[in-house]
């Protein structure tokens, strides 16, 4: 493998990663702005209190005293949900910072370029394949493409059974030819009631 080929592979891999993963820049910037503003305000209030000037927005001593009185003023039925809300907000921010964000896109195998397909386009392609395998009309198949799972719902024509396993195999075969990362599992469900006259 030449250096140029290795360099191209690296560029392609970076391009695929950028297209498949959502950026965390926006939540990071928003959180950083709020934290920085709170720190600057606390620092300003501390400096004003140290030199004996009146507070700019909040009196730190009054806030500390109010927080100390809070458990006696509010019932547990208010404090517990408020504490849980703060905990959940912190957990969401921590998970948003740590976990990789995924876009509703999939990588398509291509030796010369980074090719990415949107989940809606992939769902339309898989719905056509499932419809042909089931032998039903376009309105009788609904495909939902998620990050890790493809759900295929088929409403058969009344009196004509549909082989769910054959539909699953056909959709998986189409996925193998189309998608490399991430490869989702396929789940097929056949509606108990059929459609008349399709």
């Amino acid at each position: 493998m030449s250096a140029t080929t290795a360099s191209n592979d690296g560029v392609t891999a970076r391009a695929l990663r950028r297209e498949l993963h959502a950026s965390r820049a926006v939540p990071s910037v928003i959180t950083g702005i709020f934290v920085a503003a709170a720190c600057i305000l606390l620092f300003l209030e501390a400096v004003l209190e140290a030199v004996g000037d009146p507070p700019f927005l909040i009196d730190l001593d009054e806030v500390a005293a109010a927080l100390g009185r809070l458990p006696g003023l509010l019932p547990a039925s208010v404090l517990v949900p408020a504490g849980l809300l703060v905990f959940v907000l912190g957990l969401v921010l921590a998970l948003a910072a740590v976990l990789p964000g995924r876009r509703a896109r999939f990588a398509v195998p291509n030796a010369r370029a980074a090719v990415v397909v949107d989940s809606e386009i992939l769902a339309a392609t898989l719905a056509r394949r499932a419809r042909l395998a089931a032998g039903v009309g376009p309105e009788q198949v609904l495909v939902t493409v998620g990050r890790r799972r493809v759900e295929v719902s088929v409403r058969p024509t009344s009196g004509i059974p549909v082989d769910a396993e054959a539909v699953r195999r056909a959709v998986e075969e189409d996925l193998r030819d189309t998608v490399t990362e991430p490869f989702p599992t396929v789940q097929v469900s056949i509606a108990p009631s059929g459609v008349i006259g399709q």
Side-chain angles (χ1 to χ4, degrees), residues 12-131:
T12 302
R14 283 194 300 276
L16 281 175
R17 178 162 177 76
R18 186 171 55 245
E19 289 299 319
L20 294 176
H21 293 81
S23 172
R24 295 299 189 189
V26 173
S28 298
V29 168
I30 291 172
T31 304
I33 288 172
F34 279 114
V35 169
C39 290
I40 290 171
L41 179 62
L42 288 175
F43 178 73
L44 175 64
E45 296 295 355
V47 169
L48 290 175
E49 185 177 342
V51 297
D53 286 345
F56 177 67
L57 285 179
I58 56 173
D59 187 342
L60 295 180
D61 291 333
E62 288 182 9
V63 170
L67 288 175
R69 292 191 304 266
L70 197 58
L73 296 176
L74 294 176
S77 61
V78 174
L79 288 176
V80 171
L84 286 175
L85 182 65
V86 171
F87 172 75
V88 169
L89 180 63
L91 185 63
V92 167
L93 288 174
L95 291 177
V98 174
L99 296 177
R102 295 268 330 171
R103 291 183 176 169
R105 298 175 181 170
F106 295 84
V108 176
N110 191 303
R112 299 190 303 177
V115 180
V116 176
V117 64
D118 191 72
S119 63
E120 293 177 4
I121 305 290
L122 184 60
T125 303
L126 296 177
R128 181 179 180 277
R129 184 65 184 264
R131 176 176 59 85

Side-chain angles (χ1 to χ4, degrees), residues 153-178:
S153 300
V154 181
R155 292 185 65 203
T157 303
S158 292
I160 303 174
V162 173
D163 184 1
E165 185 60 26
V167 174
R168 188 186 64 76
R169 280 196 308 268
V171 171
E172 283 184 346
E173 182 182 326
D174 204 43
L175 276 173
R176 280 192 203 94
D177 295 339
T178 308

Side-chain angles (χ1 to χ4, degrees), residues 129-190:
R129 184 65 184 264
R131 176 176 59 85
L132 293 174
V136 296
E139 306 83 18
Q140 295 172 253
V141 175
L142 175 66
V143 176
T144 306
V145 176
R147 205 168 54 176
R148 301 192 183 277
R149 185 170 54 185
V150 173
E151 294 180 359
V152 181
S153 300
V154 181
R155 292 185 65 203
T157 303
S158 292
I160 303 174
V162 173
D163 184 1
E165 185 60 26
V167 174
R168 188 186 64 76
R169 280 196 308 268
V171 171
E172 283 184 346
E173 182 182 326
D174 204 43
L175 276 173
R176 280 192 203 94
D177 295 339
T178 308
V179 170
T180 55
E181 180 196 350
F183 191 83
T185 58
V186 179
Q187 186 175 22
V188 178
S189 60
I190 309 298

